[in-house]
């Protein structure tokens, strides 16, 4: 059976503190978007876990789909096996959460196929062991996330008639590098009241001007061309432009359909990977 594995953008991403174990706390606004990997999963009553991919990503045992299946199998004390094929469309190291979504989709699919009956909350608790973004993809939709990204509040998304242009310039940004090079005060946890408001009444266009990304400064210092993409999108009428996650994908919101597809063609002609989605 084939399952669609989505991606996300961060409309806002603020680093709010540092935990004793060295991990950082964040405040972010996740928005699931319809740019998909496809995952084909077949199960058997006994046997190993096998994972293949459309592109050479890593050793099978290091693949996030494999790790998700292995975690679920071991946690449930099963003999069941499965074969998973990942058709990868979403770029890696792009701030779009593709790997985390793959984990979530495998957990949810095998929970059903293996008839395990875990609740959504139980799957989220398993998923966070594989990555901080995994619980969001278990839940999906639009959410404010706090903690390490695992404390989720679902938000009603009131955005409509918006085209989102996503641009990936084939620049891989390591999340660990981005955190290491942040130069902001983390002496006490920060919190923005805008998200309490958004959580109560939903996300509106007027909220976008309050959002930012703490990673843009450090990433743009190393990759000036990413900042130039945002500047170009803004000059071409983007309502809202940001970098997603710790990079390096850039996105812009547009109302004008002709404009957004013209820009997509331009960036694609320059060798970028692009995607337009509509809300």
């Amino acid at each position: 059976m084939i399952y669609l594995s989505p991606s996300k953008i961060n409309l806002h991403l603020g680093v709010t503190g540092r935990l004793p174990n060295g991990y950082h706390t964040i405040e972010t606004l996740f928005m699931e978007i319809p740019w998909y990997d496809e995952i084909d999963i077949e199960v058997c009553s006994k046997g190993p876990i096998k994972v293949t991919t459309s592109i050479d990503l890593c050793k099978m045992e290091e693949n996030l789909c494999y790790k998700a299946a292995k975690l679920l199998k071991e946690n449930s004390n099963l003999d069941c096996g499965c074969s998973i094929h990942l058709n990868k469309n979403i770029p890696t190291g792009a701030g779009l959460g593709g790997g985390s979504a793959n984990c979530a989709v495998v957990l949810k699919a095998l929970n059903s196929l293996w008839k395990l009956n875990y609740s959504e909350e139980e799957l989220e608790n398993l998923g966070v062991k594989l990555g901080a973004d995994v619980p969001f993809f278990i839940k999906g939709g639009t959410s404010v996330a706090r903690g390490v990204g695992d404390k989720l509040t679902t938000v009603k998304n009131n955005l409509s008639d918006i085209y989102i242009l996503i641009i990936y310039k084939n620049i891989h940004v390591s999340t660990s590098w981005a955190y290491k090079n942040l130069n902001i005060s983390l002496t006490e946890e920060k919190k923005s009241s805008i998200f309490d408001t958004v959580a109560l009444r939903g996300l509106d266009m007027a909220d976008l001007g309050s959002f930012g990304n703490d990673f843009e400064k450090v990433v743009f210092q190393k990759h000036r061309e990413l900042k130039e993409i945002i500047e170009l999108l803004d000059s071409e009428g983007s309502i809202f432009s940001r970098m997603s996650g710790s990079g390096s994908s850039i996105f812009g919101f547009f109302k004008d359909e002709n404009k957004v597809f013209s820009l997509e063609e331009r960036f694609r002609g320059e060798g970028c990977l692009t995607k337009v989605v509509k809300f």
Side-chain angles (χ1 to χ4, degrees):
M1 186 175 294
I2 296 177
Y3 298 84
L4 296 179
S5 181
S7 47
K8 58 82 180 168
I9 54 176
N10 300 77
L11 301 184
H12 173 85
L13 177 52
V15 180
T16 57
R18 185 182 289 115
L19 299 172
N21 62 9
Y23 284 90
H24 290 80
T25 57
I26 64 170
E27 185 173 57
T28 190
L29 183 57
F30 287 126
M31 180 173 166
E32 181 182 326
I33 58 172
W35 188 359
Y36 298 108
D37 293 333
E38 295 97 24
I39 305 178
D40 191 358
I41 304 177
E42 301 293 335
V43 297
C44 53
S45 57
K46 286 188 178 182
I49 298 166
K50 297 180 180 179
V51 176
T52 57
T53 58
S54 60
I55 59 174
D56 188 14
L57 293 171
C58 56
K59 294 179 180 178
M60 183 180 75
E61 293 78 11
E62 297 172 356
N63 186 282
L64 290 170
C65 292
Y66 178 87
K67 290 182 177 182
K70 183 172 182 285
L71 175 64
L72 195 61
K73 180 175 180 176
E74 290 178 349
N75 195 74
S76 308
N77 202 21
L78 294 175
D79 291 328
C80 297
C82 63
S83 295
I84 301 171
H85 179 74
L86 169 63
N87 184 30
K88 196 70 181 163
N89 301 310
I90 302 163
T92 60
L96 298 173
S100 294
N102 295 163
C103 283
V105 168
V106 169
L107 288 173
K108 290 194 292 184
L110 290 178
N111 182 48
S112 174
L113 294 170
W114 282 343
K115 297 178 171 42
L116 299 176
N117 297 316
Y118 283 102
S119 68
E120 183 178 274
E121 182 179 359
E122 288 171 325
L123 290 177
E124 289 175 15
N125 290 335
L126 284 173
V128 76
K129 298 178 182 179
L130 299 167
D133 293 354
V134 177
F136 164 69
F137 284 107
I138 296 287
K139 191 176 292 291
T142 301
S143 291
V144 171
R146 294 184 171 116
V148 296
D150 59 326
K151 297 177 181 178
L152 299 168
T153 302
T154 300
V155 171
K156 182 183 178 184
N157 192 334
N158 297 318
L159 303 181
S160 62
D161 297 322
I162 293 291
Y163 294 91
I164 304 175
L165 171 60
I166 305 152
I167 302 155
Y168 177 64
K169 199 174 172 62
N170 298 309
I171 295 171
H172 184 283
V173 175
S174 163
T175 300
S176 59
W177 172 88
Y179 273 108
K180 183 179 179 181
N181 286 276
L182 273 177
N183 185 24
I184 57 177
S185 174
L186 300 173
T187 53
E188 59 182 63
E189 185 166 334
K190 303 177 294 181
K191 185 177 177 182
S192 173
S193 61
I194 181 64
F195 294 106
D196 294 327
T197 304
V198 167
L200 286 172
R201 61 153 164 76
L203 174 66
D204 296 318
M205 288 289 294
D207 298 318
L208 299 179
S210 303
F211 301 154
N213 186 331
D214 283 346
F215 288 104
E216 287 185 353
K217 184 175 181 180
V218 63
V219 173
F220 291 172
Q221 284 177 343
K222 184 175 182 180
H223 302 289
R224 168 70 190 178
E225 58 269 44
L226 298 178
K227 183 177 182 180
E228 291 172 351
I229 291 175
I230 285 185
E231 291 171 346
L232 175 60
L233 294 180
D234 289 344
S235 72
E236 293 288 345
S238 173
I239 301 165
F240 176 65
S241 305
R242 283 288 179 271
M243 183 178 75
S244 185
S246 57
S248 66
S249 291
I250 303 295
F251 63 86
F253 284 25
F254 291 86
K255 284 284 191 179
D256 188 327
E257 179 180 4
N258 292 330
K259 173 64 71 175
V260 77
F261 283 106
S262 174
L263 285 167
E264 182 192 28
E265 184 177 357
R266 173 177 175 173
F267 282 109
R268 188 175 292 171
E270 294 175 1
C272 299
L273 185 62
T274 62
K275 182 73 173 180
V276 174
V277 300
K278 187 176 187 295
F279 277 83

